[in-house]
């Protein structure tokens, strides 16, 4: 099948497409109304030809720039992920406010009591059993 289409291309010879047709094709491609493969099939040209049209007629694309055509499902997935990121950033912000509040509370409490609540040197070290009553002399 491929061999037959190659023969047809050789028999057909060189074709010249109008600038207007190329611009319309690229406008449809950039507007996500068609795909590169659909343009290749419709005009019987290679993907290199489509990309050369894209580089020439699209103000948004330069050579060595890849056009990403996103499917609707990918767009929805990206939107959901961006929403999840925003939610996690909000949670992190709340946690940071809570940490700041607790640090300030420790600072004020330390000033009121006259010793640093963060560094309580009177606390005996743990013996690893979960019970510290023996260490502090309580029975």
């Amino acid at each position: 099948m491929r061999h037959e289409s190659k023969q047809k291309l050789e028999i057909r010879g060189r074709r010249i497409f109008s600038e207007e047709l190329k611009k319309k094709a690229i406008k449809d491609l950039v507007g996500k109304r068609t795909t590169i493969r659909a343009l290749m099939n419709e005009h019987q040209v290679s993907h290199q030809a489509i990309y050369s049209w894209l580089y020439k007629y699209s103000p948004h694309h330069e050579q060595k720039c890849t056009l990403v055509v996103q499917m609707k499902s990918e767009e929805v997935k990206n939107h959901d992920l961006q929403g999840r990121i925003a939610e996690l950033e909000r949670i992190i912000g709340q946690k940071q406010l809570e940490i700041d509040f607790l640090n300030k509370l420790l600072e004020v409490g330390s000033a009121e009591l006259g010793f640093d609540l963060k560094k309580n040197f009177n606390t005996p070290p743990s013996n690893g059993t979960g019970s510290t009553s023996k260490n502090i002399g309580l029975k």
Side-chain angles (χ1 to χ4, degrees), residues 63-78:
Q63 212 151 10
K64 296 186 181 178
C65 177
T66 303
L67 174 65
V68 177
V69 179
Q70 217 175 45
M71 302 301 288
K72 286 290 182 187
S73 61
E74 291 173 344
E75 188 175 330
V76 169
K77 184 179 177 182
N78 281 341

Side-chain angles (χ1 to χ4, degrees), residues 45-98:
V45 295
S46 67
H47 70 280
Q48 290 95 342
I50 301 296
Y51 275 103
S52 70
W53 296 356
L54 182 65
Y55 300 141
K56 187 171 182 179
Y57 297 110
S58 174
H60 308 295
H61 298 89
E62 298 175 7
Q63 212 151 10
K64 296 186 181 178
C65 177
T66 303
L67 174 65
V68 177
V69 179
Q70 217 175 45
M71 302 301 288
K72 286 290 182 187
S73 61
E74 291 173 344
E75 188 175 330
V76 169
K77 184 179 177 182
N78 281 341
H79 184 266
D80 291 345
L81 289 174
Q82 288 172 349
R84 179 74 176 138
I85 288 169
E87 174 66 15
L88 291 172
E89 287 174 342
R90 184 187 63 75
I91 291 169
I92 288 171
Q94 285 179 338
K95 293 298 179 186
Q96 186 60 51
L97 285 173
E98 189 177 322

